Amino acid sequence: MPPQSGRPAPGPASATRRTAFAEGVERLRAAATTEPGRLRIIGAVLALLVVAFGAVTAWQAGERAAAADDVLHRSQPLSSGAAGIYRSLADANTAASSGFLAGGQETAASRDRYEKDISTAAAGLVTAAANAEPGSASEATITRLNKLLPEYKGLIERARTYNRQGYPVGGAYLRYANEKMQKEMLPAAEDLYTKENQRLDADYGHATPYPWIAIALGVLALAGLGWAQHRTYRRTNRVLNHGLVAASAATTVALLWLVVGHAVARTELNGSYDHGIRSLTVLDDARIASLKARGNENLSLVARGAETITVDGKPYDAYYYDFDKDMAHLGTGLARASKLAADQGGTTPVKAAESNMAVWKQRHAAARAEDENGNYQQALDKVIGAKGATGECFDSVDRNLARAIDHEQTEFQRAAGDGRDAMTGLPVGAAVLAVLGAAGAVFGIGRRLSEYR
């Protein structure tokens, strides 16, 4: 039967083409069967390890150096600025109540202090707004404070106007302004301070962890270089391979730089937190407590018993009750600040503030006794009088706390600056040493390969 026309009969199945990866593996396996091939593989792996170590070191050291710089130049100043906003608002409220008590005889110093505090708070809000993340909770808080500040100022001006004219309604406006400050503005300022402290803690959290990945790669690279030199020695009886020795030296320097530099940075940064940030936080809280106590002391005379609260079934003057709480908070804060102070420069002003507070409490008790006995003018003289008044004690407490804060701020900047400086140049230096180390490894292996030509 004649063959049918059509497609040709199928031939033998053609071989399946291998992938490029499979061909590469095959060539690598074939190369590994000869000493020159094995040397090329060893050289490539060593160079890759050293370069990877340098790259990861530059990355991790760079991140930690940037975080340490943020601690020093961004987050801590913003945290301190937020505390300053709170302090300025509280002090403005205190200055306003002191001026009100003086009636039409308000001093220029009292007025200037109030205006300066308001300006300081406004400037602090501008700085905070410029550094706030768009759409963040901090931005919303700053916006709210910017809205409340002119409202508060308006209430204070009304209170002063009526007070100068001798109208009792001025006291009501002052109490309303104080309520706005205590219940709306200061809580918002405290919330901003808390958020900035959280940002500061986050920067510390990024700056202080050990760069374990980089350290592990450095140890692995050194181990590989050591193994390669031992292998060379066993095959040639030559003690040193100059290229591999140079690569080991460069890698060792980079690893020691990383470990020692980061250890120093971590120690200094932790010191700046323990003896700087913690002390500053306690001192800021104590200073704010003293401001609130002074404000409540003044308002107790403004209100003249109009504001009362009941605690455990007993009636109390609301402002005297809050004064006692604020003074207790101040005493606790001063005791903690004294324990946290690391040197005489920090301890001395805190001890002085404790002495001032003790005298303040004694004078306040005498003023309160006069007020409760109906001797208003005598009580007023003991609070805002020219000599021997509680105002002198408050000013001394505030002045000594300011000295302590300045000292701890200086200590923080020194320690945090040392911590940041300990990592200066490490990212670039590690990258350069890694390139030199990789070049040394390639050169050392190349010398061995030249012996087979």
Side-chain angles (χ1 to χ4, degrees), residues 78 123-134 138-139 142 146 196 199:
L78 289 174
L125 288 172
V126 170
T127 301
N131 289 278
E133 296 291 335
S138 292
E139 185 182 53
I142 294 166
N146 276 322
E196 295 300 342
R199 188 193 301 196

Side-chain angles (χ1 to χ4, degrees), residues 247-420:
S248 299
T251 304
T252 300
V253 170
L255 183 58
L256 287 175
W257 190 357
L258 172 64
V259 173
V260 174
H262 189 271
V264 172
R266 180 185 172 92
T267 299
E268 293 295 339
L269 286 169
N270 285 337
S272 75
Y273 189 88
D274 292 337
H275 303 298
I277 297 301
R278 289 178 62 198
S279 292
L280 285 170
T281 300
V282 171
L283 288 168
D284 280 329
D285 288 346
R287 197 176 184 190
I288 289 166
S290 72
L291 289 165
K292 293 170 72 174
R294 179 59 176 172
N296 283 315
E297 183 177 50
N298 291 339
L299 286 164
S300 65
L301 296 179
V302 172
R304 299 193 182 188
E307 299 287 340
T308 60
I309 58 172
T310 301
V311 180
D312 297 331
K314 296 180 179 180
Y316 292 91
D317 181 288
Y319 296 115
Y320 279 145
Y321 183 81
D322 287 341
F323 171 87
D324 291 337
K325 287 199 306 182
D326 293 332
M327 291 298 278
H329 188 184
L330 173 60
T332 301
L334 291 175
R336 289 182 61 199
S338 182
K339 291 180 180 179
L340 288 171
D343 55 23
Q344 197 70 18
T347 303
T348 300
V350 173
K351 293 296 185 183
E354 287 180 315
S355 298
N356 301 146
M357 185 190 71
V359 177
W360 184 2
K361 291 171 72 174
Q362 293 173 358
R363 293 182 181 181
H364 172 80
R368 183 184 294 191
E370 295 286 2
D371 184 35
E372 290 174 346
N373 290 328
N375 301 321
Y376 178 78
Q377 187 58 50
Q378 288 84 342
L380 188 63
D381 291 340
K382 291 181 181 298
V383 171
I384 64 168
K387 188 172 180 62
T390 60
E392 291 181 348
C393 302
F394 161 71
D395 288 339
S396 296
V397 168
D398 190 68
R399 186 166 51 251
N400 281 308
L401 285 175
R403 285 176 52 209
I405 288 171
D406 287 343
H407 174 78
E408 297 300 337
Q409 182 71 28
T410 300
E411 289 298 299
F412 159 80
Q413 290 175 340
R414 180 196 58 76
D418 289 346
R420 180 206 56 185

